[in-house]
Amino acid sequence: MSGGPSRRVSIEKPVMTRNDEVAAANRSMFLDSGLFAINVIGSPGAGKTSLLEALANRFARDLAVIEGDVRTRRDADRVEKAGSPAWQIETGGACHLDAAMVRRAWMDFRETARGSRYLVIENVGNLICPSSYDLGEDVKAALVSLPEGDDKVLKYPALFSRIDVLLIGKMDLLNHLDADPDRLESECRSLRPGVTVFRISSKTGLGLPEFCDFIIRGREAKFRA
Amino acid sequence: MLAIIERALGAPRKLSRVTVSIGPLSGVSPDSLSFCFAPIAIEAGFGSPELVFRRKGIMVECASCGGVEEMVEPGAQCSSCGSRDRSILSGMECTVESVEIEDREEAGR
Ligand SMILES: Nc1nc2c(ncn2[C@@H]2O[C@H](COP(=O)(O)OP(=O)(O)OP(=O)(O)O)[C@@H](O)[C@H]2O)c(=O)[nH]1
Ligand SMILES: [Mg+2]
Ligand SMILES: [Zn+2]
């Protein structure tokens, strides 16, 4: 405002520095707890909780789930009913989870989740904001369901250029829709050549054994000494 | 973001400008960052600095021909060989580059 000369100070630090530091602390906490952690990101209604119910059926108490929603603990209740301990984070407005929220949640939850080998975190339904917040996970996964359309990847390149796993969901609806899973897959590979892709349906169970296998092998690789 | 600036400066200072470089794949929207930044900056004692964004491109390296170029459209193919198998070198960053401390505040210390 003064118009006079001002002193320029170079900073050169990522905006996410603080979150990344907490995420690194989470990562070593999960390592110490023997956990293999997955961060699942997808639009509202993509089928994230339905997938977690299916995983809870399969893994029972080997799986612990942290649910992120703006409000209600409905999703945590659904997962618990399906057989795995679950903890609900209500963000109260935030459209994403950050590393500090997950850290606090795990501190409160770890006694209940004692003995679990896999931790899956359901992020708040959103394809934008969750993409730049590292939570300390081993695997960042995006779930895109066919009814959302096959053009989503290049519309949200920040997310799809960072993920380790692409889950193409609601494959049981393939014949009722124009959406092409090959397009989702090839556009995702153009941003992220090494991505692992699963085509799944939580309704019919398609692709779930393969995805479960991937999780089991991922944990084995992490803790192979 | 203010915590990073405060850490670098040692304490909150009245700022005239904050320069942030931002890549298309950062996942950060300049509009929402500006919107959140203004009220928090005042409250934290940084004044009302102008927030300047320097937009970067997406740089990629082709796995087939080794060419390095800017990816103008996300997902576009290599301009030399047509391959889509390219790894991203930059474009995901969102970095606080520098701040300018207000002259008046400097003199008043
Ligand atoms: N046909 C079909 N429907 C599915 C599938 N998975 C989920 N659904 C349906 O999609 C709707 C949303 O599922 P949820 O699992 O609650 O979705 P979500 O992503 O957890 O939603 P939010 O937590 O609200 O963001 C429900 O009506 C599910 O029955 C699937 O594989 N096939
Ligand atoms: Mg849900
Ligand atoms: Zn090439």
Side-chain angles (χ1 to χ4, degrees):
Chain A
M1 310 282 163
S2 65
S6 49
R7 194 157 64 89
R8 189 174 168 283
V9 180
S10 168
I11 308 263
E12 296 294 341
K13 285 267 160 47
V15 166
M16 287 296 167
T17 300
R18 265 259 285 244
N19 183 75
D20 290 348
E21 286 167 0
V22 180
N26 288 355
R27 199 159 271 125
S28 61
M29 189 169 73
F30 296 151
L31 184 69
D32 292 343
S33 308
L35 285 171
F36 184 70
I38 305 176
N39 176 6
V40 179
I41 299 172
S43 305
K48 300 180 293 299
T49 310
S50 305
L51 169 63
L52 288 177
E53 287 172 314
L55 296 182
N57 274 316
R58 162 72 177 76
F59 287 117
R61 290 201 57 86
D62 280 348
L63 172 71
V65 172
I66 293 178
E67 285 286 346
D69 283 285
V70 173
R71 250 175 248 309
T72 82
R73 53 166 292 117
R74 283 184 187 162
D75 283 359
D77 291 342
R78 282 171 58 187
V79 172
E80 273 179 357
K81 208 166 282 172
S84 294
W87 188 268
Q88 183 76 47
I89 299 176
E90 288 184 65
T91 66
C95 50
H96 58 267
L97 296 177
D98 65 36
M101 295 179 202
V102 169
R103 187 170 185 79
R104 285 192 298 271
W106 179 249
M107 297 291 186
D108 293 335
F109 179 37
R110 58 182 169 190
E111 211 35 59
T112 321
R114 202 183 195 91
S116 50
R117 303 150 76 84
Y118 312 103
L119 174 66
V120 181
I121 303 165
E122 177 180 338
N123 220 308
V124 182
N126 182 341
L127 294 178
I128 305 169
C129 308
S131 52
S132 46
Y133 287 87
D134 182 6
L135 305 179
E137 70 271 11
D138 297 293
V139 167
K140 197 191 291 295
L143 171 59
V144 185
S145 63
L146 286 182
E148 296 169 60
D150 56 17
D151 61 347
K152 289 294 164 289
V153 169
L154 297 184
K155 284 187 178 171
Y156 301 96
L159 173 62
F160 293 99
S161 59
R162 275 161 225 254
I163 55 173
D164 307 297
V165 170
L166 172 67
L167 299 162
I168 303 177
K170 306 192 186 179
M171 281 296 291
D172 55 290
L173 300 177
L174 181 62
N175 295 325
H176 305 277
L177 303 164
D178 299 330
D180 177 7
D182 291 339
R183 181 179 179 199
L184 284 167
E185 177 164 346
S186 70
E187 291 191 343
C188 192
R189 286 194 194 288
S190 75
L191 292 175
R192 187 72 164 155
V195 71
T196 305
V197 181
F198 296 96
R199 300 180 182 202
I200 63 169
S201 166
S202 304
K203 203 140 246 176
T204 65
L206 174 86
L208 297 181
E210 290 79 4
F211 183 50
C212 290
D213 228 50
F214 170 86
I215 296 173
I216 294 167
R217 278 185 286 111
R219 184 179 183 281
E220 281 170 3
K222 178 177 178 179
F223 292 101
R224 189 175 298 138
Chain B
M1 178 153 120
L2 289 166
I4 298 157
I5 298 172
E6 182 166 342
R7 199 185 285 176
L9 299 180
R13 307 284 295 272
K14 290 269 183 300
L15 304 177
S16 54
R17 180 178 297 170
V18 175
T19 306
V20 175
S21 68
I22 189 163
L25 302 178
S26 69
V28 176
S29 131
D31 287 345
S32 51
L33 192 59
S34 308
F35 182 76
C36 304
F37 181 75
I40 305 173
I42 295 176
E43 197 177 305
F46 290 93
S48 304
E50 177 193 8
L51 199 51
V52 179
F53 291 100
R54 296 208 315 124
R55 291 171 195 260
K56 300 286 193 65
I58 306 173
M59 296 304 293
V60 291
E61 181 175 6
C62 179
S64 312
C65 75
V68 172
E69 65 178 3
E70 183 174 348
M71 184 189 258
V72 182
E73 274 292 305
Q77 56 203 48
C78 176
S79 67
S80 345
C81 77
S83 168
R84 287 185 194 278
D85 187 3
R86 308 201 290 168
S87 50
I88 293 170
L89 302 175
S90 68
M92 296 190 178
E93 65 279 4
C94 179
T95 308
V96 184
E97 287 196 341
S98 64
V99 299
E100 283 174 26
I101 299 173
E102 250 183 45
D103 184 41
R104 256 182 317 186
E105 197 245 13
E106 186 74 355
R109 288 175 73 90

